[in-house]
Structures are given as C-alpha cells and as structure tokens.
Amino acid sequence: MRDDTGDTESAAPTPAEVRARWTSLDLLLLAAVTVAAAFVRLWSIEQWSFDAYEAVTWRAVTQPLDAFAASEQSRFPLVYLLLRWLIDAGVLPGVTEGWLRLPFAFVATLAVPLAAVLARPLLGRGVARLAATALAVHPLHVMFGQTATPVGIATTVVLAAGVVAMRRWWGSALLLVLLAGACHPAGWLAGAGLVVAAADRHGRLPALPRWLWLVLLLPATVLLPRLWIDAGPAVLLLALVTLWQRPSAVAGLSLAATLPLVGGAAWWWVDAQAATAAIVAALPTLLVLAAWSAVRFVAVVVERLQPTRVARLVAVAPAVMLLGELLTGTFLYFVVFAGGRPDWRAVQRAAIAHAIPGEDLRVAAGHGLDVLRTYLRSNHWRASRTDPHPGIHVDPFVDDDVAIARLLAAPGALLALDHDEYARLRARPELAAAFHTVGVWARPERHGDASVYLLQR
C-alpha cells in the first residue's frame, strides 16, 4: 500500500515484529555484547595520555568553586561536580589516567543495553540487537568511553530519557533530559528528540517531506566531512537510506538524529569541538537508523529471492559490512592510533630530562598548553598564595616577536608543538634555526597527524 505522500510502507516493521518480546537467546546475546563493550572500553584505558578534553576536565575539578563558577564549564556543571565529589570523597582512589576515566567508561558501557531497550519497542528485536552490537564496537563511542569528558555521559542519559519516555513516565523523562543538558549542551537537543521518538512509538508522527528534511539538514552539511570520518561511511550511508525512505516508524528517530547535528553545526562556527560532541550525541540514534536499513534489507531479499545460500549472504551483506567497518576502526584505534591522542606524557618526561641543572624548567606550548600544565603543574589551577610548582613554568607559545624574544632569552627553553605548529615553525627559518629537536613522538590519527615535537633552544 501507499501512504498519502506516495511512498510505500512495505519496508515498515509489522506490529508483530514490534510487539515481539525478548527471547532467552536475545538476553544472552545482549549480556554478551554488554560485557564485550565493557572489556573494550577498559582495555588500555590507563595507557593513553590525557588529551585536550581531559585537560579541561582536570582544570574544572581542581580549580576553586568560585573560579569554576566563572568558567564556561559552569554552564553544564553536573559531570564536573560529580567528579569533584568522587575525588574528594575518596571514591576514586587516585587521579591517574585510568582512575579518572573509569566512571566515564562505566557509564558509556550502559549506553549499549539502553540502545537495545530503546530500539526494540520501536523497530523490533533484530534492529535492537544490531544497533547495540554496533554501538559496542563503534570506535568513536569507544574513544569517548575512554575519555574523561561529559558528552559521553550525556549521551547515555539521553538514551535513558528515551527508554523512560517509552513507558510514558513523562516526569522522569523530563528530569533525565534536564540532567542530560546539565551534563553537556548537546544533551538538550538529543534528549528532546529521543523523547519525541519514544512518544511516537506507534508511528503516528507524519513523515516529513523529503524537501523539508533537506532544509533541516542543510546547516549540518558543514559536518559531513567529520560525519564521514567519525560516524563512519557505512553508518552514514545506511542512515541516509533510512532518512530518504522516510518510513513512519522512524520519523521520530530521524528527528532525534537530526536535532543535535543541526545544533552542533550552528555552534561549530564558534567552537570547532562542538562538531565532534554533536556527532557523539547523535551516534546511538544514527546507529539505530543504520541498523533499520540493514535489517529491512534482509527482509526484502528473503521475500523477493529464493532462500538459497547466496541469497542469505546477499541479505546480510550490509550488516556484515557495517560491523566489519566498525571492528576495523576499533582495531586501528588501539593498535595504530594508540588511543587517538598525542603522547603528552612522554613529552613531560623528556622535558624534565632535558632541564638544565640550576635553571628553571621553562616550556612553551601551543595546543598542548593545558595538557602539559596538567602533567608538569598538576596544582596549577588550585588556589594558592604561592606558586605550587616553583621553578616549573608552562607558558603559551605565541608566535609574535616579543614573546619569541622572551622565550629565546630563557636558558634551555623548550618548545612543545603539535604537527601543524611545528610545520609553521619550520616555515620561519630564522626562528627554526634557534631550536634543535630533542624528541619526536609520531602518532597518526583518524583525521590528521597527532605527532608532537619537543625542541630546545
């Protein structure tokens, strides 16, 4: 049959599929996937250096409350305040990389079963199983499960809001949306979208015309390069197929995936990191949409072809390609990209090793400024009438003549630069000749070069 927009509804899940309860095998599979997700997020969690996101978290949890209240992070304070409480109460026995990231890994793991619980009443058991499995091994979600930054926790709270809204517990759903927004601004849009999707579990929300979806998605086109890299080609293409087909069963989910992306695209002009945060917040919903395309492809192939071995292989091809791409990305994240962040901990050790005896240690840094302050001056942001780290100076590297002259006047001054900053330095021969390289830590990443360089005057 055709709906009033002229599009077929044959691909929509049947009421029997949506009403089907979990089987024992489903629950066993979901438990196994959740355990695997926890294992992946805990693997090597203590080995990676802090990154720029975590330097912001370190500053937020170590600075006095009045300084925190005046900072940008006070606009979404919940995660930072909870982390401060965990540290002050001794629940976290240390503030090393592994201990600081542990709560974030635990909450990120909870997102996997929540994605399945959200998807099953909307789209059936098959979509729920595939979406949960894909989220468990998605490299971007794994990375943010191993990063002490609030957007990962906000994403899990958003999924909980959608699950609660499915039970018509509107007060609890509203509270969870408020909590998600208090964790990270992306939580507001993602949470509101999922509550709408959960309220529309019977598919009564009309499918928007394609031209209107294109208008809504137009601001998000600036994120397409990042979506292609961060979400993954298979996820993006399968989700776009679902959006283009516009089945009524996923009208609410389509809105839930679109809202944070549009909001992130608008905020991207102010803060480039907003793009990644928006993609993380939209990722579970994008995976549910991608899983819907893959599962419906199986149903269409089985319906139209003879049930031969070749037909079965063709039917599961999109799902296999989806999971294969994500597993490959996660393998590269651990083995090649080494956590997807520069090795600032090695830079710290090298800087101390190259300090001139009897002279202050003076390091100038660009994008790694706050990370090196976290490592070399861990109490830098704490209130103190005296310098908590006398003799250790970590200053911003400003590429102007006055700042460079001051840097050159310091005996044994060190420069810690990332790949782009180092390339700009090499483009100025008169400045590059004043420094020699004492350490290079090469590290590729998914979209660029995460190598860092340590130079000494």
Side-chain angles (χ1 to χ4, degrees), residues 272-285:
Q273 290 186 344
T276 303
I279 294 170
V280 174
L283 186 62
T285 314

Side-chain angles (χ1 to χ4, degrees), residues 5 8 31 92 121 154 156 165 178 187 205 212 238 241 253 258 282 286 312-313 328-329 376 390 410 443 455:
T5 65
T8 62
L92 291 178
T156 301
L178 294 175
L205 190 68
L212 185 53
L238 287 171
V241 168
L253 287 173
T258 303
L286 287 173
R312 294 189 185 97
L313 290 176
T328 302
L376 290 169
R443 182 160 294 176
L455 302 92

